[in-house]
Amino acid sequence: MRTKIGIAGCGHLGKLHTKMHTMLPDISELIGVYDINPETVKTASELNKCRGFNDLEELLPLVDGMVVAVATQGHYEVAKKCLLAGKHIFIEKPITATVEQGIELVELAKEKNLIIQVGQIERYNPAFSQLKNFEIEPKFIEAHRLAPFNPRGADVSVVLDLMIHDIDLILSLIKSDIERIDAAGVAVVTDTTDIANVRIKFKNGAVANLTASRMSLKKMRKFRIFQEHKYLSLDLDTGIADIFYLADKEAVINDGMAVADLDFVNKKIIYSKREKIEVNALLEENRDFVEAISKGKP
Ligand SMILES: NC(=O)c1ccc[n+]([C@@H]2O[C@H](COP(=O)([O-])OP(=O)(O)OC[C@H]3O[C@@H](n4cnc5c(N)ncnc54)[C@H](O)[C@@H]3O)[C@@H](O)[C@H]2O)c1
């Protein structure tokens, strides 16, 4: 039996999520789309040949799960209605506009035994996926996420708009509590922070330095991991990973080439370039959501 899915919010991201569910015909049944704007509902429902709803309460009884892709300020209200109606939710990042709202949704989902999946799409980035091939124990991470100004997403600070992606990746890699956070931010064009620099010190000694700006001329998404005997430089924009690691001087290497000899320790530095693997990240995260509902897969 296919999982019945509804979409709340048919803006830029909502339209893409809707299309993804038309591309999963074996497992997902797209029931309908909902938005606060009736014109948007009409366009999205016609485009995807599904029902359009101007009232969320009419769509909810018909579905097993909802994709919440409304503007961030509306996440809490819409997601809470879905959970109270007993529906699993996929919610776009950031989960909510405030920490308190996020905690309340997580508690509600636990109480009702429902799934909340957050659209932290960079977990599916092909450059980040390369890390599965290595033991990762970061000592230092440097993350740069810079983008030209875009009013979409600017209803919250650049930390919730952009930096949240790198915060999520870092917390997935560094298995330690946080000891201290130092941060600086400036509001340049909006009322909230448009450029921010954050230094997170973890109890295990690891440090992460993050910079996010939505005031940049050029786009940049770099994520660099430094650890004992390894340096991994991920370009999250192109999907390419450049990896440097130490190997014994006499070791036979199949996945890269020696770029320097370190005779004093009897080692050599190996450089391995990992080209982009084609992946539709949005499709995969929606597939995971449907399978989390139907198979209880985390
Ligand atoms: N995963 C990513 O990389 C990524 C990228 C861009 C945006 N996003 C997230 O997706 C969400 C939507 O962003 P977008 O770029 O599509 O914005 P958008 O402005 O294009 O679309 C938002 C839509 O939500 C509707 N809406 C707003 N409040 C509503 C409410 N209370 N109830 C129903 N509908 C409502 C609007 O009418 C609009 O159609 C945001 O939370 C944003 O952070 C994620």
Side-chain angles (χ1 to χ4, degrees):
M1 211 175 61
R2 296 190 295 161
T3 303
K4 295 181 170 59
I5 297 292
I7 313 283
C10 309
H12 179 72
L13 251 275
K15 277 197 198 98
L16 295 173
H17 281 296
T18 310
K19 184 163 178 230
M20 294 306 113
H21 285 276
T22 67
M23 291 164 69
L24 294 167
D26 294 343
I27 58 170
S28 174
E29 183 182 354
L30 176 65
I31 299 296
V33 293
Y34 155 75
D35 195 286
I36 206 168
N37 180 338
E39 276 303 307
T40 310
V41 171
K42 191 167 177 285
T43 316
S45 61
E46 282 173 7
L47 193 69
N48 295 287
K49 299 183 178 53
C50 64
R51 290 178 65 188
F53 293 80
N54 295 310
D55 183 352
L56 179 61
E57 307 295 341
E58 284 177 19
L59 171 58
L60 285 177
L62 310 177
V63 301
D64 303 308
M66 285 291 300
V67 173
V68 180
V70 303
T72 301
Q73 295 293 351
H75 280 195
Y76 169 75
E77 178 205 336
V78 173
K80 190 170 172 182
K81 279 188 188 159
C82 298
L83 292 172
L84 286 173
K87 307 302 166 183
H88 302 286
I89 54 171
F90 173 102
I91 186 164
E92 257 310 335
K93 52 59 53 179
I95 179 168
T96 46
T98 72
V99 173
E100 293 74 21
Q101 291 172 344
I103 291 171
E104 191 185 326
L105 292 187
V106 170
E107 292 301 325
L108 186 57
K110 271 192 203 150
E111 197 184 299
K112 293 187 152 278
N113 206 16
L114 293 167
I115 293 159
I116 300 187
Q117 181 179 330
V118 184
Q120 297 292 163
I121 198 165
E122 293 288 41
R123 297 267 191 123
Y124 298 80
N125 189 298
F128 188 74
S129 301
Q130 291 291 351
L131 300 185
K132 286 189 210 121
N133 303 316
F134 299 91
E135 258 182 56
I136 302 297
E137 282 180 56
K139 293 270 194 288
F140 180 65
I141 295 180
E142 177 87 57
H144 281 100
R145 187 171 293 260
L146 316 179
F149 186 72
N150 183 344
R152 285 191 301 105
D155 57 337
V156 289
S157 84
V158 74
V159 173
L160 292 182
D161 181 14
L162 300 180
M163 191 183 280
I164 194 81
H165 286 294
D166 297 312
I167 294 172
D168 175 63
L169 296 184
I170 287 164
L171 296 181
S172 79
L173 295 176
I174 302 180
K175 306 289 180 211
S176 169
D177 287 338
I178 291 171
E179 189 178 297
R180 177 191 164 103
I181 300 177
D182 292 297
V186 182
V188 183
V189 282
T190 71
D191 294 339
T192 60
T193 307
D194 295 309
I195 177 159
N197 175 258
V198 177
R199 188 174 191 273
I200 308 174
K201 187 164 193 298
F202 291 85
K203 286 197 173 146
N204 70 357
V207 169
N209 188 42
L210 303 87
T211 303
S213 165
R214 55 185 174 203
M215 295 297 310
S216 175
L217 276 179
K218 286 190 188 151
K219 189 173 172 191
M220 181 202 265
R221 291 180 182 174
K222 284 277 199 176
F223 193 89
R224 300 177 175 96
I225 303 165
F226 300 81
Q227 63 181 60
E228 200 176 23
H229 295 175
K230 265 186 214 93
Y231 162 48
L232 306 100
S233 174
L234 312 183
D235 188 327
L236 299 172
D237 193 28
T238 62
I240 295 171
D242 291 307
I243 292 151
F244 296 82
Y245 65 91
L246 288 196
D248 288 338
K249 188 102 191 276
E250 307 310 326
V252 178
I253 303 298
N254 299 317
D255 67 347
M257 59 181 184
V259 289
D261 286 327
L262 301 181
D263 290 329
F264 58 100
V265 281
N266 211 26
K267 302 246 183 227
K268 55 189 173 186
I269 301 177
I270 306 298
Y271 167 55
S272 175
K273 185 179 178 99
R274 305 297 170 105
E275 295 292 350
K276 182 179 180 180
I277 301 158
E278 284 308 325
V279 60
N280 182 340
L282 204 68
L283 184 68
E284 292 315 311
E285 64 177 2
N286 277 291
R287 188 196 306 280
D288 281 351
F289 177 52
V290 172
E291 291 189 344
I293 297 173
S294 62
K295 299 181 184 168
K297 190 186 136 193

